[in-house]
Amino acid sequence: MLSPALAEPQSGLVSQAPLFQAGKYRILALVFDDYETLDLHGPIEMLGHMPNAEIKLVAAKDVVRSYQGPRVVADCLTNALYECDLFIIPGGLGTRTLVNDAALINWMERQVALSQSVFTICTGTALIAKTKVMNGLKATTNKMAYPWVTSLNEHIVWQPKARWVDDGKFLTSSGVSAGTDAALYWVAKLHGDKEARRIQRLTEYQWINDANNDPYAAHFDL
Amino acid sequence: MLSPALAEPQSGLVSQAPLFQAGKYRILALVFDDYETLDLHGPIEMLGHMPNAEIKLVAAKDVVRSYQGPRVVADCLTNALYECDLFIIPGGLGTRTLVNDAALINWMERQVALSQSVFTICTGTALIAKTKVMNGLKATTNKMAYPWVTSLNEHIVWQPKARWVDDGKFLTSSGVSAGTDAALYWVAKLHGDKEARRIQRLTEYQWINDANNDPYAAHFDL
């Protein structure tokens, strides 16, 4: 059962209409207070330029604040589950307390089951590590927070040196900016390299398309 | 005079309290429907990790939608002016119509006068080009939209090959991702290279700290 505290509508901004239009590539991203700005918005930038993508935010309340201050509006709440093609879980300081939120972790486990693929960025991997859905699979995370995140689940096959890791249903990335690189990788996986390069040019991004290029692993002595 | 259409409170989310806390480095960012996600959130990520930074969003209405879909909440409205240290103007498809919004351009000109520094990203430079505040100064912009943006003001000394341009009060950057690089440059300018490198590591960013490294100028044959 979900705790009532998981859903606190405040201002009537959350629509009751169907979440996604028919025929879209349905991207649902979790947000919470003190999420890390670029963890979320880097991937949104790149995935949002894919043909037919539709992006919605899900949260425990209708307005949440990033660690950097600005606020976003949720399109739907964690008091329900949503069929989607890609479920995105960003990281940020907010995950330090959320890993202990049993109701949220329970919701996530059920939301993952309804999601075709799952993409975690940075310490967003800590939230997925608190479920059992990645047990036996390979994953990576933020290198500065590596000891903490990996301590949460010994059944995940942690990769200390990787910009991102693709293990079937689950794409996990290293810290913050690595999520943007991994998102372009995802575009290439779905639509081919030409489409990823089109979006790279459109956004004048300096994409390093190499999952093994992880300078921060060495930096933090992993 | 401002048009009444410039301020349309919808849900009571915009506070009437003083915008910034005393002693903060006051960052005010303009947002509008169809702003480009990373234009705004890349710089917010980097600048938001500076010591003492406070970031607020200003808009013509209290909830605006990015080109990629997700919505942000304004902290204040364009029916008033705000003293700040850094005024950020992102780009995006929304600028194509906003350049013809005389009331907004008038507000921007007066807001720039109250801002210590101004930082435009991508086609955000189109909005500043519609004012006279950069006449005689050097600037750059998105390379794909270069012919359009530069056509708006022949008195700006346009730089066809630059990741970003610093001309005193005004920092202008190339397309989308270039704003993130320019933001780290701004951190280094204010707090030194060590602080910029600290934030680069924290965000696992692959920063190319070279304003002259602009591969996209060549790409679009400028």
Side-chain angles (χ1 to χ4, degrees), chain B:
Chain B
M1 294 292 293
L2 293 178
S3 151
L6 271 179
E8 295 171 356
Q10 293 176 321
S11 59
L13 286 165
V14 177
S15 166
Q16 299 306 308
L19 190 58
F20 294 102
Q21 299 173 62
K24 292 286 187 180
Y25 184 78
R26 301 161 301 176
I27 300 173
L28 183 69
L30 178 68
V31 283
F32 43 84
D33 284 336
D34 286 334
Y35 78 90
E36 184 73 17
T37 295
L38 197 60
D39 284 23
L40 175 72
H41 293 284
I44 282 178
E45 172 69 31
M46 300 305 172
L47 298 168
H49 279 293
M50 284 197 306
N52 226 21
E54 188 170 13
I55 303 174
K56 300 293 183 183
L57 304 183
V58 59
K61 53 185 181 176
D62 65 354
V63 174
V64 308
R65 182 189 177 282
S66 75
Y67 178 75
Q68 282 72 24
R71 296 171 290 171
V72 293
V73 182
D75 299 295
C76 58
L77 298 174
T78 53
N79 59 356
L81 300 167
Y82 309 92
E83 281 191 17
C84 68
D85 296 298
L86 186 64
F87 177 39
I88 297 180
I89 308 165
L93 210 60
T95 63
R96 297 275 174 169
T97 49
L98 280 185
V99 290
N100 298 316
D101 183 333
L104 178 80
I105 300 301
N106 177 286
W107 173 84
M108 279 191 51
E109 191 151 304
R110 295 186 295 146
Q111 178 55 46
V112 164
L114 275 184
S115 307
Q116 194 70 30
S117 302
V118 178
F119 175 16
T120 73
I121 298 99
C122 193
T123 49
T125 314
L127 298 178
I128 209 82
K130 289 291 286 186
T131 70
K132 294 175 178 172
V133 298
M134 284 204 73
N135 287 8
L137 299 178
K138 285 186 280 192
T140 196
T141 183
N142 183 297
K143 294 313 180 301
M144 193 180 277
Y146 195 84
W148 173 64
V149 177
T150 57
S151 75
L152 298 171
N153 188 331
E154 62 183 4
H155 303 292
I156 292 174
V157 187
W158 295 106
Q159 306 294 303
K161 189 175 192 314
R163 188 77 171 157
W164 67 83
V165 173
D166 178 353
D167 197 352
K169 177 169 178 170
F170 297 89
L171 175 68
T172 57
S173 82
S174 290
V176 194
S177 311
T180 311
D181 289 332
L184 273 177
Y185 160 80
W186 196 252
V187 173
K189 183 176 175 174
L190 292 180
H191 296 283
D193 190 66
K194 194 175 167 187
E195 174 64 6
R197 294 293 173 187
R198 181 188 72 81
I199 295 173
Q200 176 191 2
R201 282 195 304 276
L202 185 71
T203 58
E204 296 191 11
Y205 188 61
Q206 312 214 50
W207 181 31
I208 298 173
N209 181 18
D210 180 0
N212 297 315
N213 184 342
D214 183 15
Y216 292 95
H219 194 89
F220 292 108
D221 223 3
L222 299 174

Side-chain angles (χ1 to χ4, degrees), chain A residues 36 45 49 201 205 216 219, chain B residues 36 45 201 205 216 219:
Chain A
E36 184 75 15
E45 172 70 31
H49 280 292
R201 282 195 303 276
Y205 188 60
Y216 294 95
H219 194 90
Chain B
E36 184 73 17
E45 172 69 31
R201 282 195 304 276
Y205 188 61
Y216 292 95
H219 194 89

